[in-house]
Amino acid sequence: MFRRTRIRIVIALLFSAPPSALAQHEEPWFGRADEDIPRIIDAMEEGDLVLLWQGDEQIAPRSFTPEVGDTTTFVIDIDKEAHAWLDDARRPSVVLPSCRLRVDTKVTKVEPDGNYVLQARFADAELMPRAIGTPERRREVQVALNSLEAMTHVVTLTPSGEVVDSSWFPPRIANATIRELISSLSHHIRGTRLPTEPIGLGAVWRTRSPSESVALQYSEMMTHTLSNITEDGLVIYSELRGVMPEQTSPVSLGPEGSSTLRPSYAVGGITTVVDPKTGAPVAALFNVDVVQTHACTTPDRNFVITSQATAARNIYEFDPHMLTVEEAQRIAKGLKPGEVRLIEPGENPKPLAYAPREGELATWMFSQSTDAFQLLPTGVPNDEVTLEFPTYAVFTSVVKEVLPSGVFVVEDTIDEFRYLPFSDEDAEAIRQNNEAVRPIEGARITYTYAPDGEVLNVSTDPLDTVDPAVRPMLEEMCNVEASDFFKLPHRPIGVGAVWRTATEEVVENIRRTVVETTTLTGFDDRYIYLYSDIIIIMPEQPYTNEYMPEGTEARILHAAGEGYTNSVVDRFTGQTVSHDGETNVGMDVEVTAAGITGRVLQIATAYETIETVELIDNQAEPDG
């Protein structure tokens, strides 16, 4: 269901206010560290590790035990954006187009004292589907990514993960974008340093990392907590605090100008799963904000520049079935409408189909929200663009008929449908919206399915019984629900089975193709457990919606996205009874109004969940 989430381009915002209003001051979030952080950092030497608490369970020596030839492979997603203020005026933002690359690490040498050499190489470096940016910036980053594939990072580590030596080959890197990417990769490749003393669950220690900044004096301290010990490795949460003392600023103002960096800060958090043999990360979530304040002086004026940069990285296990946009486009052309192409049959494959029971009933709750980051033609960002209010709905699904052929009929009743407010200020708008959609409550949608989940027919209450104002919403809901039913392969499958589908559709007046790669993660007598990776492709096309001012023309120049879903499907009703997921879509849109043409860059993120009382009560566990 999640892959059908509506993504709306808020073009009406572009011309609803003059540029001066769009550029009004917004106070940056400073992310200030505690007052004693600089003192704590200054008390530590670079490279120091201080154990604060040993932990209270499973206390034992912790060290990495690599062998020559040990390898790990992971994927890292990199996102970065920066905002700036000149005195109290918002300035154009800079967004590093989201990128992804595969990292292959290998232990090439182990010394008698336990020190070892870890070599990292990079492959499949590419812009992510949701990446936004001007065509020039996208090309620049892709060229840097291509160059990165020719580079090697070699780091020598002690058994506890302390860095003895770190080198990049080739050593001289002129390209600023490559240097920025390298800076973001170094920490993740070397992993997290451990205390040499025995530690257990809950252990806490601090490290002071050597500064890697060549332009500024910068000190960084991380406070680590051993939060879990699993078969996959050690789970470590790290809180980052960085400080930049007052110093000469790198902001260039010409021969007669000067600038001073006032005390500035970095704040963030990292959760890492560390490979127990090599120390390399196998999974991580990383988010850091860096805020700098520069006091500037020129012969004409004094002013202050404040900047905030946010870096987000996600590390996860490499999946050989992961697709690029180009691969997804090629696969979509080769798949017939409705085709389910089995990639891998999984373990102990056997026929798997729905097992509907006449009269079986499920009541389920559905919620959805969407937000966006948007760069307007003026270069001024709208950080929190509301595409639409979050929605909440309750449905009752009942199996009305099961034919001898296995074909079954399910009737959905919309018990409740309403919009939710973001704040008290939205109360009146929410009241009006909910009054408008109230007639949809009680409407019934009837679906006829084949045993494998193929949709054979969709019908609704006679349209003359439905308020004309909500008929379009009901019709779209019918189409969305029908296209979201999970269709299973005809061939026998087992846990680990992988299959693909491609669907062409029109949502919110946008033509798009959705390529979905689904993995069967488990099943039992009643429930099927599925994980899906999603690629969304939108060709260049004109665009319009009811919110655009009269005379406005828009054209989507580039748009694509990716996402995932975790779903539990009830075999007795065919209904998805548990579901969560996220979709990110990046768009580059050309807009013309009043003779003025501008570009809108937007990243929209959609979240969707489904819950049912039935699944909670059954506490079902998957096979495998």
Side-chain angles (χ1 to χ4, degrees):
M1 173 178 296
F2 183 78
R3 61 190 181 279
R4 311 295 183 238
T5 299
R6 299 183 298 173
I7 304 294
R8 175 174 294 141
I9 307 169
V10 195
I11 292 174
L13 292 174
L14 306 185
F15 304 98
S16 60
S20 58
L22 291 171
Q24 65 185 353
H25 171 60
E26 297 175 35
E27 187 69 15
W29 176 76
F30 282 88
R32 294 188 182 278
D34 296 333
E35 292 182 359
D36 62 343
I37 293 296
R39 176 182 57 78
I40 295 174
I41 293 179
D42 288 342
M44 299 176 65
E45 297 290 336
E46 286 193 352
D48 273 0
L49 183 150
V50 178
L51 180 62
L52 303 178
W53 190 46
Q54 197 174 18
D56 57 6
E57 292 181 41
Q58 303 182 41
I59 295 177
R62 309 285 174 186
S63 61
F64 303 117
T65 56
E67 298 178 8
V68 173
D70 283 347
T71 61
T72 61
T73 299
F74 59 87
V75 175
I76 180 168
D77 296 347
I78 301 173
D79 294 277
K80 184 175 181 180
E81 62 188 53
H83 312 299
W85 291 258
L86 176 59
D87 288 335
D88 61 351
R90 189 67 176 268
R91 307 303 297 166
S93 293
V94 176
V95 178
L96 174 70
S98 304
C99 52
R100 169 182 294 149
L101 66 155
R102 191 182 88 216
V103 182
D104 298 314
T105 70
K106 183 177 182 179
V107 177
T108 59
K109 186 177 182 180
V110 179
E111 300 286 358
D113 60 2
N115 287 4
Y116 61 103
V117 178
L118 191 67
Q119 175 181 286
R121 298 186 65 88
F122 311 94
D124 302 332
E126 61 174 357
L127 294 175
M128 296 174 66
R130 68 171 181 265
I132 63 172
T134 63
E136 296 76 18
R137 181 58 170 156
R138 288 171 58 86
R139 284 194 295 269
E140 177 186 340
V141 174
Q142 187 59 62
V143 167
L145 290 170
N146 294 342
S147 300
L148 191 61
E149 293 188 1
M151 301 187 66
T152 301
H153 183 43
V154 178
V155 58
T156 303
L157 303 163
T158 68
S160 65
E162 181 180 1
V163 176
V164 176
D165 184 55
S166 177
S167 302
W168 285 87
F169 300 95
R172 294 184 179 180
I173 304 161
N175 187 291
T177 303
I178 297 179
R179 289 201 304 270
E180 184 176 359
L181 288 170
I182 285 175
S183 175
S184 65
L185 290 171
S186 297
H187 169 78
H188 298 297
I189 293 170
R190 68 175 64 121
T192 304
R193 182 183 171 191
L194 303 176
T196 55
E197 300 93 333
I199 57 172
L201 284 177
V204 180
W205 66 98
R206 284 197 180 117
T207 57
R208 178 175 174 181
S209 303
S211 172
E212 296 185 1
S213 173
V214 295
L216 292 170
Q217 298 176 42
Y218 172 68
S219 299
E220 179 180 282
M221 179 186 73
M222 300 186 74
T223 303
H224 311 276
T225 302
L226 179 57
S227 57
N228 202 0
I229 301 172
T230 70
E231 293 182 358
D232 295 325
L234 307 178
V235 182
I236 300 171
Y237 174 73
S238 305
E239 187 178 78
L240 181 149
R241 293 291 186 270
V243 295
M244 288 156 274
E246 184 168 314
Q247 58 191 284
T248 301
S249 168
V251 174
S252 177
L253 299 173
E256 298 184 14
S258 64
S259 59
T260 300
L261 176 72
R262 293 175 178 172
S264 299
Y265 304 89
V267 181
I270 309 167
T271 299
T272 308
V273 181
V274 180
D275 179 68
K277 294 197 69 179
T278 68
V282 294
L285 289 174
F286 175 102
N287 196 286
V288 172
D289 286 278
V290 179
V291 177
Q292 298 178 357
T293 303
H294 305 262
C296 305
T297 300
T298 66
D300 301 325
R301 59 178 295 201
N302 298 326
F303 55 94
V304 174
I305 297 175
T306 303
S307 66
Q308 176 186 334
T310 300
R313 293 161 214 150
N314 182 18
I315 292 176
Y316 48 93
E317 184 180 359
F318 171 66
D319 181 357
H321 301 296
M322 185 179 295
L323 299 175
T324 65
V325 171
E326 290 73 19
E327 290 169 338
Q329 289 174 323
R330 186 179 67 253
I331 289 171
K333 292 179 180 178
L335 285 171
K336 300 176 183 178
E339 179 184 355
V340 178
R341 181 171 297 176
L342 186 63
I343 308 300
E344 293 183 9
E347 300 177 4
N348 303 315
K350 58 184 178 181
L352 184 63
Y354 294 101
R357 298 182 179 183
E358 194 166 309
E360 194 72 37
L361 180 144
T363 299
W364 45 286
M365 297 164 286
F366 162 77
S367 60
Q368 173 186 299
S369 63
T370 306
D371 54 37
F373 169 83
Q374 192 177 72
L375 288 177
L376 306 182
T378 58
V380 178
N382 277 356
D383 288 333
E384 297 179 359
V385 179
T386 301
L387 300 189
E388 54 190 25
F389 287 114
T391 54
Y392 170 85
V394 178
F395 296 79
T396 297
S397 300
V398 60
V399 180
K400 303 293 289 185
E401 184 180 10
V402 181
L403 303 179
S405 63
V407 171
F408 59 106
V409 179
V410 176
E411 181 183 84
D412 283 359
T413 301
I414 304 174
D415 300 320
E416 182 179 356
F417 186 94
R418 55 190 167 94
Y419 293 99
L420 303 177
F422 290 106
S423 67
D424 293 341
E425 298 176 357
D426 302 322
E428 179 58 25
I430 288 294
R431 187 192 66 77
Q432 295 178 8
N433 285 358
N434 286 337
E435 283 296 323
V437 299
R438 195 173 305 282
I440 205 172
E441 295 181 352
R444 294 185 298 273
I445 310 170
T446 303
Y447 304 92
T448 302
Y449 297 109
D452 64 354
E454 181 180 359
V455 179
L456 303 178
N457 187 54
V458 182
S459 61
T460 66
D461 288 337
L463 287 181
D464 58 7
T465 68
V466 179
D467 189 315
V470 297
R471 286 179 191 171
M473 177 181 290
L474 182 59
E475 291 171 348
E476 181 173 334
M477 195 173 295
C478 292
N479 295 330
V480 167
E481 292 295 320
S483 63
D484 288 332
F485 203 89
F486 283 100
K487 186 176 179 181
L488 302 173
H490 288 164
R491 292 165 56 187
I493 56 176
V495 174
V498 180
W499 62 89
R500 285 200 180 104
T501 58
T503 306
E504 293 185 358
E505 59 189 19
V506 177
V507 177
E508 291 289 332
N509 300 322
I510 300 176
R511 291 182 293 111
R512 65 185 195 179
T513 301
V514 179
V515 178
E516 188 166 1
T517 303
T518 301
T519 301
L520 177 64
T521 59
F523 64 93
D524 54 31
D525 290 340
R526 179 159 188 174
Y527 297 106
I528 301 172
Y529 300 79
L530 303 169
Y531 174 83
S532 298
D533 278 314
I534 300 160
I535 296 288
I536 302 172
I537 309 160
M538 288 163 264
E540 183 175 334
Q541 59 188 292
Y543 175 74
T544 184
N545 67 35
E546 66 270 31
Y547 300 98
M548 291 170 56
E550 185 177 353
T552 301
E553 297 181 355
R555 186 169 188 83
I556 297 175
L557 302 180
H558 169 83
E562 76 283 307
Y564 72 90
T565 64
N566 280 298
S567 304
V568 182
V569 181
D570 184 356
R571 298 174 68 187
F572 293 174
T573 64
Q575 176 57 45
T576 300
V577 294
S578 177
H579 173 93
D580 70 86
E582 179 178 326
T583 296
N584 295 279
V585 175
M587 293 183 173
D588 181 355
V589 185
E590 184 178 75
V591 183
T592 301
I596 301 174
T597 298
R599 298 283 281 278
V600 183
L601 302 176
Q602 174 178 293
I603 295 179
T605 303
Y607 312 90
E608 189 175 272
T609 61
I610 292 175
E611 297 177 341
T612 64
V613 175
E614 285 82 354
L615 184 66
I616 297 172
D617 290 343
N618 282 290
Q619 291 295 306
E621 294 291 337
D623 291 344

